[in-house]
Amino acid sequence: MKVCVLGLGYIGFPTALLLADAGHEVIGVDVNEAVVERLNRGAIGDEEPMMLNLYRRASERFHAQTQVPYADAFIICVPTPLEKDMRVAGLNYVKSAATMIAPKLREGNLVVLESTVPPGTTAKLVVPILRSGGLSTEQFYAAYCSERAIPGNVVYEMVHNDRIIGGKDWQSASKAKELYSSFVRGTLHLTDLTTAEFIKLMENTYRDVNIALANEFAKVAEDNNINIWEARELANKHPRVEIAKPGPGVGGHCIAIDPWFLADNSMCCQLIKTARDINDNMPNYVIKTVKEMVKDVENPTITILGVAYKGNVSDARETPAHRIIRLAENEGIRVRCHDPMVKRFETELESLNDATYNSDCIVLVTDHDSFRTINPLHLSMRSKNLLDTRNCLDHDMWVGAGYTVKVLGNAQVLKPVMEMDAPRVKDKVLVAQRI
Ligand code: SAJ
């Protein structure tokens, strides 16, 4: 089959390669010439596991270009950003992709929308645009099939996760199932277009609400002198309880955005909006804690450890670090940042040593694995404070190195014992005094 994938971002590109790897002839289309040139050159990052191998296997049957060709099937994987001022879905890229396909659409072709959209978009917006090329609705197939792959493990999850396929009619759903079953090993479940779109939003909203609940629990735990991390772990031993992890806020281009696609099209959704609010306000909670930790320091400087929206990815879109930095600066706190994975960020990124030099508090925002091996004894801080918003570091080790350690969701502050009292084994203190 000849397949055209429109949008060669973090979903479109691996999808195109998986189809090529399954034996299809794949044309990837992107309006950005630099992206097209880079992918044709084979310049691919190694951040996503399995991606390089997949490219090596599939590149012979993959080619990128800026124009939409004639094809048997078209898959739309373009971004659908949130128009922040109005809090509505930005569907311009979807519209222009459908507009580019319309004149190339021939009888019996299949068009699949993968982008996350408000319920009803494929039927009410995409199908009418496709018809403008001259075919009637009955002459082509249309389906909705969003991805479910988690950044950091995209290729594996694209192959192994179950997927939902919504069809304009049963034949459309079946056609799309035939195409996706060439590379998906999970089960493909069929339904109608709008239900499939709705399911995608339900999934991400469920996660957002669960994280908001975890964040609320974390604050209540602190009020009650309880450690949320211990309480959560024990609560999750219940067979029907699975509470997410609290943290400094929800970032990324999916979970922090998709719930609005549900909420803004509806007169209800109070819970969903409140959850968004709770998660968006976690940076304020972080800054409140930071202020408490550096309250005795004149002209404090803090170091943000990690600006990516989550651990082990280089993506900083919608990261809670943005708001934490801005709020801190508005409080007169100087901010320095370190992230070994992120390449571009609005605030300067420095080496670990430079970012922590003469700083008064490290604020761990992102749980990159590499942060676990930082040796606190090698840092030249002015005041030794650590706020771990992800509960990911070895706190005893940091206390042993003389740090006062606060963990988000744990009311107890860990303080170093007096230097002379501290029994050390190499760099590690055996006893951390809890106060
Ligand atoms: N987070 C927490 N606590 C948690 C889990 C996550 O604070 O327990 C934070 C993360 O740090 C991050 C944000 O939430 O800032 C989102 O991260 P994530 O790992 O939950 O999700 P994404 O945005 O990377 O990917 C999600 C996934 N959706 C679900 O798990 C329901 C993925 O499967 C989707 O394919 C993706 O959105 C998407 O493209 O829609």
Side-chain angles (χ1 to χ4, degrees), residues 268-329:
C268 52
C269 295
Q270 288 313 306
L271 176 64
I272 295 171
K273 290 178 185 166
T274 303
R276 278 282 67 244
D277 228 30
I278 291 170
N279 290 334
D280 276 350
N281 278 310
M282 284 312 287
N284 302 52
Y285 193 69
V286 170
I287 286 300
K288 178 174 153 273
T289 312
V290 167
K291 278 163 63 185
E292 181 58 28
M293 293 184 83
V294 297
K295 67 176 188 298
D296 297 327
V297 182
E298 213 176 307
N299 301 325
T301 298
I302 63 170
T303 303
I304 304 293
L305 216 51
V307 300
Y309 82 92
K310 67 174 184 178
N312 305 321
V313 301
S314 61
D315 192 338
R317 278 177 289 175
E318 310 297 324
T319 172
H322 278 307
R323 193 169 160 86
I324 292 171
I325 293 166
R326 192 53 49 85
L327 289 172
E329 287 173 345

Side-chain angles (χ1 to χ4, degrees), residues 4-8 27-40 62-69 78 96-97 99-101 104:
C4 170
V5 177
L6 290 91
L8 297 175
I27 308 294
V29 171
D30 203 291
V31 288
N32 186 334
E33 279 180 25
V35 169
V36 166
E37 188 273 322
R38 180 171 57 78
L39 297 182
N40 281 335
F62 169 81
H63 173 74
Q65 58 189 47
T66 52
Q67 300 300 314
V68 174
V78 296
S96 87
T99 307
M100 285 164 84
I101 294 169
K104 303 285 175 180

Side-chain angles (χ1 to χ4, degrees), residues 10 147-149 151 200 204 207 244-245 251 254 309-310 390:
Y10 95 100
E147 49 76 29
R148 287 171 150 179
K200 171 67 183 178
N204 281 354
R207 193 147 166 91
K245 289 185 196 154
C254 305
Y309 82 92
K310 67 174 184 178
R390 303 275 188 176

Side-chain angles (χ1 to χ4, degrees), residues 10-11 116 147-151 157 161 200 202-208 211 214-215 232 243-256 258 308-311 318-320 365 367 390:
Y10 95 100
I11 293 302
T116 305
E147 49 76 29
R148 287 171 150 179
I150 196 98
E157 291 211 352
N161 289 354
K200 171 67 183 178
M202 278 170 71
E203 291 164 0
N204 281 354
T205 302
Y206 162 79
R207 193 147 166 91
D208 197 43
I211 296 168
N215 284 331
R232 170 185 174 269
I243 302 162
K245 289 185 196 154
V250 168
H253 44 285
C254 305
I255 309 253
D258 298 355
Y309 82 92
K310 67 174 184 178
E318 310 297 324
T319 172
V365 172
D367 45 352
R390 303 275 188 176

Side-chain angles (χ1 to χ4, degrees), residues 95-112:
K95 283 190 217 166
S96 87
T99 307
M100 285 164 84
I101 294 169
K104 303 285 175 180
L105 202 61
R106 292 178 300 193
E107 192 164 358
N109 281 176
L110 166 70
V111 180
V112 182

